[in-house]
Amino acid sequence: MPAPRVNFRGRGPRCLVSTHLVDSVQVSQVPANTHRETFRPLADFPPDIWGDYFMSLSFNNSELKSSSKQVEALKEKVKGMLKDCIDQVEKIMLINDLCRLGLSYHFEDEIQELLSYHFHSMSKLIDDEDLDLHTVATIFQVFRLHGYPMHHDVFNKFTDDEGEFKEELASDVKGLIRLYEASQFRINGEKILDEALVFTTKHLQSSLAKQSTDESPNETLLNFAKLDFNRVQCLYQQELGTLSSWSKEMNIASRLPYARNRMVEIFFWAVGFYFEPRYASARNIFAKLLIILGFIDDTYDAYGTFEELECFTHAIQRWDICALDQLPEDYLKILYGAVLNVYDEVDRMESNNGRCYSMSFTKDELKKIVVSYLMEAKWTKEGYMPTFDEYLEIALHSSAAVLVIAQVLVGMEEADANVFEWLRTGESKISYRYKSHSSSLRRHRDQRGRGKERTGCLWNKCYMKQYGVSKEEAIQDSGEDLGLHGMS
């Protein structure tokens, strides 16, 4: 009985695979006149809803300057508040307010100086003072958030002789919420924080009807937060206008109608990585690189035939404009030209800033990723169902995890050559982390009209094939093998 024909280019997560796979896939150039399949796995992607909206927005520069001036004045006032506050606990609670209002980026140096100064004395203060759960959990969270390894034993005072959290805490909704948040900063082996998560989840779920809100920060902080929020939103809109103009001038979306045009959504993703205004250039670079990766991804996933993709993969390995004329289809030439242009544009920007190493690494990662995409296309063409181990190795690479992280770092001045070498050597264990994340994202949605299956479903089918287990056992066992249960 022939093996089932399965397409492995679903929209599921993709990650890093070991470098030797690049050499294991033989990429050969296919002449333009070679017969190719006519079937294309077309996707019915919804259209872009934004159009030229952000290009048509008008901005009141005088209003922006006025709000920026007010922000600077309030910034100095808050610096005074940080400096004048004598009580250690009140100072940490003020830092917490700044973090929650999205204002802490204005005071990074001041916050680090204060936390560094108070860190070693804070645990003793917590032991000596009669601080409630809400306060202790907030202090713990602030220090851990900023990279300080505050010990979990600060919560021992809230447990009984058996080490269980005291039941009387169940009515302290504010404290439970803070403890729940603090438990998210736990590391392996911190049993008391594991128990804190269970304890708070149980009691908060039974207290959903109760309302609990923190006391509002003072009016200075609230006014500061409102002004800064509106100012930053205006800056984002200007950035989107610039990016929209670039996208329209590049004109790739209209020439590759089979692919998704998700410029605005990608920009939102960039804001999620770094929202601070000083990273405007980094956001612009990341968005451009990810837009191009999206077109590449959809080309392998939702349009190209195997023979065409083989040619394109070969051209990416060459990274030479001369390879463009050897591509068999116009759409591939359009995409290949766009890839080279965008990468060269960013490369010139980074080289002028003495950071040529960032794009060198990013380019190498892109070459590896398209090879993994081609392997998945090869499996689909041959109707081959890989073993779980075979599929995992490819899927770890094709998620583009390391590439996306590299793209995030390209425009960040703080990310020097050592950071990219850290990525290159794999000491960061990103591969493992994204392997875990991939497993937690199992999805089973129908790809209507494409004959495709989600990566999660394929993950389980490959596991079922290799270990001869049921679907339910595959879902359970693959999660346990990777230590993923409880992840979200």
Side-chain angles (χ1 to χ4, degrees):
M1 181 177 180
R5 182 176 179 82
V6 181
N7 197 314
F8 287 83
R9 300 292 302 139
R11 298 253 50 84
R14 299 176 176 140
C15 267
L16 176 65
V17 73
S18 54
T19 306
H20 75 269
L21 277 176
V22 176
D23 300 324
S24 69
V25 181
Q26 299 300 317
V27 181
S28 58
Q29 181 66 43
V30 179
N33 60 355
T34 299
H35 175 71
R36 295 181 297 276
E37 299 174 29
T38 57
F39 170 76
R40 296 187 182 280
L42 297 174
D44 186 20
F45 292 128
D48 172 41
I49 65 173
W50 299 101
D52 296 336
Y53 174 77
F54 289 97
M55 292 177 61
S56 61
L57 285 179
S58 59
F59 300 96
N60 189 327
N61 288 323
S62 62
E63 185 176 324
L64 180 60
K65 289 180 180 179
S66 175
S67 63
S68 296
K69 187 175 181 180
Q70 294 178 68
V71 163
E72 286 302 314
L74 288 168
K75 182 176 175 180
E76 292 304 313
K77 187 172 182 178
V78 173
K79 282 184 179 180
M81 293 167 61
L82 286 168
K83 183 178 180 180
D84 296 339
C85 185
I86 298 175
D87 186 89
Q88 290 186 57
V89 173
E90 288 183 10
K91 195 168 289 189
I92 301 304
M93 301 304 278
L94 176 56
I95 292 173
N96 175 68
D97 287 340
L98 293 173
C99 293
R100 290 178 180 274
L101 290 171
L103 296 171
S104 59
Y105 76 94
H106 287 287
F107 311 100
E108 290 179 352
D109 293 339
E110 290 83 0
I111 289 174
Q112 287 298 336
E113 182 179 346
L114 289 171
L115 294 180
S116 177
Y117 180 79
H118 292 292
F119 175 62
H120 294 291
S121 62
M122 189 55 66
S123 293
K124 187 175 185 305
L125 185 147
I126 292 174
D127 288 338
D128 295 343
E129 298 290 331
D130 185 24
L131 302 178
D132 61 15
L133 178 60
H134 177 269
T135 303
V136 173
T138 300
I139 293 171
F140 179 87
Q141 186 176 346
V142 168
F143 276 102
R144 286 259 174 134
L145 176 65
H146 290 87
Y148 289 87
M150 176 162 279
H151 203 275
H152 57 263
D153 62 7
V154 296
F155 295 108
N156 287 345
K157 63 195 300 182
F158 303 106
T159 60
D160 56 26
D161 293 339
E162 280 73 42
E164 303 289 335
F165 280 96
K166 299 174 182 177
E167 281 301 319
E168 64 198 57
L169 298 172
S171 60
D172 180 9
V173 179
K174 281 178 60 177
L176 289 176
I177 292 174
R178 277 292 193 271
L179 180 58
Y180 174 82
E181 294 174 348
S183 72
Q184 307 305 313
F185 291 88
R186 68 193 185 281
I187 58 177
N188 290 338
E190 294 188 309
K191 183 179 178 182
I192 192 170
L193 292 178
D194 291 334
E195 294 174 351
L197 177 62
V198 174
F199 179 79
T200 55
T201 301
K202 171 187 173 183
H203 290 292
L204 287 173
Q205 285 177 339
S206 64
S207 304
L208 289 178
K210 298 180 182 179
Q211 301 226 349
S212 173
T213 57
D214 290 336
E215 295 180 7
S216 298
N218 63 49
E219 286 301 314
T220 297
L221 295 187
L222 287 176
N223 290 334
F224 188 4
K226 291 174 184 177
L227 276 169
D228 197 53
F229 179 86
N230 291 330
R231 179 183 71 94
V232 172
Q233 294 303 305
C234 184
L235 294 174
Y236 289 161
Q237 291 172 4
Q238 290 180 338
E239 291 177 36
L240 268 170
T242 301
L243 192 63
S244 296
S245 297
W246 170 85
S247 178
K248 189 167 186 176
E249 182 179 349
M250 187 173 64
N251 193 30
I252 187 174
S254 61
R255 294 186 291 168
L256 301 179
Y258 60 83
R260 290 166 295 179
N261 180 21
R262 295 293 181 263
M263 181 202 69
V264 176
E265 290 82 351
I266 285 173
F267 179 81
F268 290 158
W269 193 2
V271 171
F273 278 113
Y274 22 48
F275 72 90
E276 300 90 336
R278 70 176 182 272
Y279 290 118
S281 177
R283 282 190 291 271
N284 181 271
I285 288 172
F286 173 73
K288 289 178 178 178
L289 294 176
L290 196 58
I291 287 169
I292 288 297
L293 180 60
F295 282 112
I296 294 173
D297 185 86
D298 285 344
T299 297
Y300 279 84
D301 196 33
Y303 195 75
T305 67
F306 176 76
E307 290 77 12
E308 293 167 356
L309 298 176
E310 195 175 25
C311 293
F312 185 79
T313 305
H314 178 82
I316 290 291
Q317 306 310 307
R318 288 183 58 186
W319 206 271
D320 185 348
I321 192 63
C322 294
L324 187 145
D325 291 334
Q326 299 177 33
L327 292 170
E329 298 290 341
D330 287 343
Y331 81 93
L332 292 176
K333 295 177 182 179
I334 293 169
L335 178 58
Y336 189 67
V339 172
L340 296 188
N341 286 338
V342 172
Y343 269 70
D344 287 348
E345 174 191 344
V346 176
D347 197 8
R348 285 194 301 272
M349 293 169 56
E350 291 301 291
S351 295
N352 290 338
N353 294 325
R355 294 170 49 79
C356 57
Y357 50 81
S358 64
M359 284 305 292
S360 174
F361 176 85
T362 305
K363 187 189 302 180
D364 289 344
E365 283 302 311
L366 180 64
K367 290 179 179 180
K368 296 174 187 177
I369 283 167
V370 295
V371 170
S372 70
Y373 288 179
L374 185 65
M375 177 63 87
E376 292 179 341
K378 183 175 185 288
W379 285 342
T380 297
K381 176 180 171 60
E382 296 175 351
Y384 174 68
M385 174 71 74
T387 65
F388 179 73
D389 292 337
E390 289 173 330
Y391 179 65
L392 176 60
E393 194 170 13
I394 286 295
L396 289 178
H397 194 47
S398 60
S399 78
V402 174
L403 176 60
V404 169
I405 292 174
Q407 290 174 343
V408 169
L409 298 173
V410 166
M412 296 182 68
E413 293 182 2
E414 302 96 319
D416 59 16
N418 292 328
V419 172
F420 285 90
E421 183 59 26
W422 174 74
L423 280 173
R424 188 186 300 277
T425 58
E427 292 176 353
S428 59
K429 298 183 180 179
I430 290 172
S431 169
Y432 172 79
R433 293 298 181 188
Y434 273 79
K435 174 174 71 174
S436 299
H437 188 56
S438 296
S439 174
S440 71
L441 294 176
R442 290 184 288 270
R443 306 196 190 281
H444 306 274
R445 299 179 185 171
D446 177 41
Q447 293 279 71
R448 288 184 291 273
R450 299 173 63 188
K452 301 235 177 176
E453 296 189 71
R454 292 281 174 173
T455 293
C457 185
L458 293 171
W459 180 293
N460 294 327
K461 284 188 175 181
C462 294
Y463 193 90
M464 291 163 61
K465 173 186 176 182
Q466 179 165 331
Y467 296 105
V469 297
S470 67
K471 177 181 176 181
E472 291 71 22
E473 289 173 317
I475 294 173
Q476 178 73 15
D477 293 349
S478 59
E480 286 181 348
D481 286 348
L482 297 174
L484 301 176
H485 293 292
M487 291 183 64
S488 58

